[in-house]
Amino acid sequence: MRCVVFGATGYLGGRLVPELLDAGHRVRAVARDPGKLDEVPWRERVEVVKGDVTDAESVARALDGQEVVYYLVHSLQQRDFVDLDRRAAQTVATAAAGAGGVERIVYLGGIAPEGQELSPHLRSRKEVGEIFLGSGVPTVVLNAAIIIGSGSASFEMLRYLTERLPAMVTPRWVHNRIQPIAVRDVLHYLVHAATVDKTVDQAFDIGGPDVLTYLDMMRRYAVVAGLPRRVVVPVPVLTPWLSAQWVNLVTPVPRGIAIPLIESLVHEVVARDRDVTAHIADPADGLTHYEHAIELALDRIRDADVPTRWSDASNPSDPLPTDPDWSGGSVYTDVRERHTAADPAKLWEVIESIGGEHGWYSFPLAWSVRGWIDRMAGGAGLRRGRRDPRRLHTGEALDWWRVERLERPHMLRLRAEMRLPGRAWLELSATPSTPDGTGSTYRQRAVFEPHGLAGHLYWKSIAPFHDVIFGGMARNITGTAEHQEVSA
């Protein structure tokens, strides 16, 4: 079948596309920034189109000639995500109903307990599902609780809390029951939803074979990971908001995502029935038990084989203001250039491996302190790391940066996602110094567009440290390239 996937650059969308291809479907992947899909291993097997779920014209173009619509978009990282998700779902639902050839919509939502005041996160997921079910196009809504898989926000929150805190004080919701599901089982249901009978227009709860409390999940994770037994003391005074502040400090999941996720844990999220099996059979080898799902996720992390991560999904940004006179001349830059005897290819290797375990090549203490300040302010901090220690991909998260542009082996541009009174970019490039390629030139440009007086004051306050931070980075990157070339 001809399938169009909205959210192909996201955590689940990036994993669903190759599964659909392997099942024999033709796939069109929709992205606000198609460049983010340039380096995925399945790029040559799909049609990539530019589209935004809030733009009716681009949605209509994306749906043209398609039979199955997969909607895997969620704006959790934005404050107004409820309104934004409602508007986006209505746009896609209306376009699908008017497209003519669309036979099926498939949406992944969340299990929402009945008769309770739902969290904004669960209420929004339920509302989006209802919008699609009311579209007039046969729809399959698959509702899941916590998804266990390498790179998912829920799994990362669980992993970091358990690994970093041998003892912890927790809120009462750690005793609430949850039915986690392995990401590979979610993908199984999603793929087979494309071919269910055309008369099916229904929401289904999906879950793994185990019903656990969050406390059980942490303790069982510790066993699988080979950690000592965790000491957990539940107390009644920790609200979801306070819990999210702690998650924000201890895990890579920023407060903006942690709050709605934790607010949802206040509810017991257990599948009400197994009606889905009347239309989609379970995987041939059965549903994945919780401990095995943890083992699979940890194996991928150890092997650096994490194809998608929650942090790789980002909001679109305005282009880099490259003109110094842009916006009335209120763009600050710090430009450093150094010539080095290192080969351009060796210099590029160092540039592309920046961040994560390799660090930022200047004043580590300053970077760490700035990272902690950012975490306390609800930002990304330095804990997102990087997916692969050597190779980057357009659109992926890199500590508190986002890879905005990658022109291998010449230029890397990063967009800051730290909490700032303005917008910032860091651009690193390597070019041959002479026509025959002997030696190379390293160029580094930091760009800051201030927002209001606070932005101007921020730049001026850190200007005295630029030589240590930016100058040190340029010196150390070129020095590392030279050292590695000599060592080789």
Side-chain angles (χ1 to χ4, degrees):
M1 301 192 75
R2 298 185 301 275
C3 303
V4 57
V5 179
F6 289 93
T9 60
Y11 173 72
L12 276 170
R15 299 188 183 209
L16 174 64
V17 170
E19 296 286 335
L20 290 172
L21 292 169
D22 291 345
H25 300 295
R26 294 167 59 185
V27 179
R28 175 181 291 171
V30 185
R32 288 175 304 212
D33 178 9
K36 291 181 66 174
L37 299 175
D38 285 348
E39 297 182 85
V40 295
W42 39 263
R43 173 63 183 85
E44 299 305 317
R45 302 170 63 195
V46 304
E47 177 190 3
V48 176
V49 299
K50 182 179 177 65
D52 187 321
V53 289
T54 61
D55 177 63
E57 290 187 6
S58 69
V59 169
R61 288 193 298 271
L63 294 180
D64 184 40
Q66 302 302 296
E67 298 171 289
V68 180
V69 178
Y70 280 94
Y71 190 84
L72 301 173
V73 178
H74 193 32
S75 308
L76 197 59
Q77 298 188 55
Q78 299 191 33
R79 290 185 178 181
D80 57 346
F81 72 87
V82 174
D83 293 335
L84 184 59
D85 281 347
R86 178 189 303 116
R87 188 169 74 253
Q90 289 171 340
T91 299
V92 175
T94 300
V102 174
E103 302 176 357
R104 163 76 53 214
I105 297 173
V106 181
Y107 168 66
L108 181 69
I111 295 177
E114 296 177 347
Q116 299 183 29
E117 180 66 28
L118 299 177
S119 68
H121 169 53
L122 284 182
R123 190 167 62 247
S124 174
R125 302 303 289 268
K126 182 180 180 181
E127 181 184 25
V128 169
E130 291 171 345
I131 289 172
F132 288 128
L133 287 168
S135 66
V137 178
T139 297
V140 170
V141 174
L142 299 171
N143 294 318
I146 288 179
I147 296 176
I148 303 298
S150 57
S152 81
S154 297
F155 174 74
E156 291 302 304
M157 194 166 73
L158 170 74
R159 179 166 76 98
Y160 277 85
L161 283 173
T162 308
E163 289 186 353
R164 294 184 173 179
L165 299 175
M168 64 189 92
V169 175
T170 60
R172 288 177 296 181
W173 52 255
V174 297
H175 290 299
N176 289 347
R177 295 188 309 149
I178 303 168
Q179 191 168 359
I181 183 169
V183 65
R184 69 174 185 171
D185 293 340
V186 174
L187 294 172
H188 167 84
Y189 287 121
L190 285 170
V191 170
H192 286 81
T195 53
V196 299
D197 190 276
K198 293 181 181 180
T199 61
V200 177
D201 189 31
Q202 188 177 345
F204 302 96
D205 289 352
I206 58 174
D210 304 300
V211 176
L212 310 165
T213 67
Y214 204 82
L215 177 58
D216 292 332
M217 291 172 62
M218 288 190 288
R219 285 178 170 166
R220 292 192 185 192
Y221 176 94
V223 172
V224 174
L227 302 171
R229 180 180 174 84
R230 274 24 205 165
V231 177
V232 179
V233 182
V235 296
V237 294
L238 282 179
T239 65
W241 186 88
L242 285 173
S243 300
Q245 314 311 308
W246 183 240
V247 169
N248 175 70
L249 289 175
V250 176
T251 82
V253 181
R255 189 166 56 213
I257 294 178
I259 289 177
L261 288 180
I262 288 178
E263 285 177 340
S264 299
L265 291 175
V266 172
H267 307 289
E268 289 202 339
V269 280
V270 178
R272 287 172 286 256
D273 52 54
R274 296 271 294 145
D275 290 353
V276 68
T277 58
H279 306 281
I280 303 174
D282 288 341
D285 55 352
L287 294 170
T288 309
H289 282 278
Y290 175 74
E291 282 85 349
H292 187 42
I294 295 294
E295 290 172 351
L296 293 172
L298 292 178
D299 284 346
R300 282 208 153 184
I301 292 170
R302 295 186 188 106
D303 295 340
D305 180 25
V306 182
T308 61
R309 301 186 302 171
W310 64 269
S311 55
D312 292 341
S314 68
N315 301 319
S317 70
D318 294 327
L320 169 71
T322 54
D323 186 348
D325 296 325
W326 186 89
S327 189
S330 58
V331 172
Y332 296 105
T333 61
D334 183 283
V335 179
R336 310 275 168 162
E337 193 170 284
R338 288 181 65 86
H339 298 281
T340 172
D343 180 80
K346 183 59 66 176
L347 177 58
W348 176 256
E349 287 181 13
V350 177
I351 291 174
E352 193 172 0
S353 64
I354 198 168
E357 64 184 35
H358 296 115
W360 292 88
Y361 294 96
S362 72
F363 203 1
L365 178 60
W367 284 85
S368 296
V369 170
R370 184 63 181 88
W372 272 104
I373 293 174
D374 194 56
R375 296 293 296 174
M376 295 178 68
L382 291 173
R383 288 194 172 146
R384 295 191 303 189
R386 51 181 292 156
R387 185 191 304 174
D388 184 283
R390 296 292 177 185
R391 192 173 180 86
L392 293 171
H393 301 275
T394 302
E396 77 169 281
L398 174 60
D399 289 332
W400 63 41
W401 303 91
R402 177 79 53 182
V403 179
E404 184 171 85
R405 188 173 177 183
L406 180 62
E407 296 178 4
R408 189 179 288 111
H410 304 297
M411 190 271 285
L412 168 65
R413 179 185 296 162
L414 307 173
R415 183 182 83 243
E417 292 189 340
M418 66 188 84
R419 295 298 179 116
L420 291 170
R423 299 185 300 156
W425 292 262
L426 180 62
E427 194 173 86
L428 315 176
S429 63
T431 56
S433 293
T434 60
D436 64 359
T438 303
S440 54
T441 298
Y442 170 77
R443 190 171 190 269
Q444 172 184 297
R445 182 167 68 123
V447 179
F448 182 69
E449 176 208 339
H451 288 179
L453 178 61
H456 291 277
L457 293 176
Y458 172 82
W459 180 265
K460 294 182 183 301
S461 69
I462 64 173
F465 305 100
H466 282 180
D467 189 58
V468 174
I469 297 173
F470 293 131
M473 180 183 292
R475 290 189 294 271
N476 292 331
I477 286 177
T478 53
T480 300
E482 292 174 352
H483 174 73
Q484 290 184 358
E485 185 164 18
V486 171
S487 300

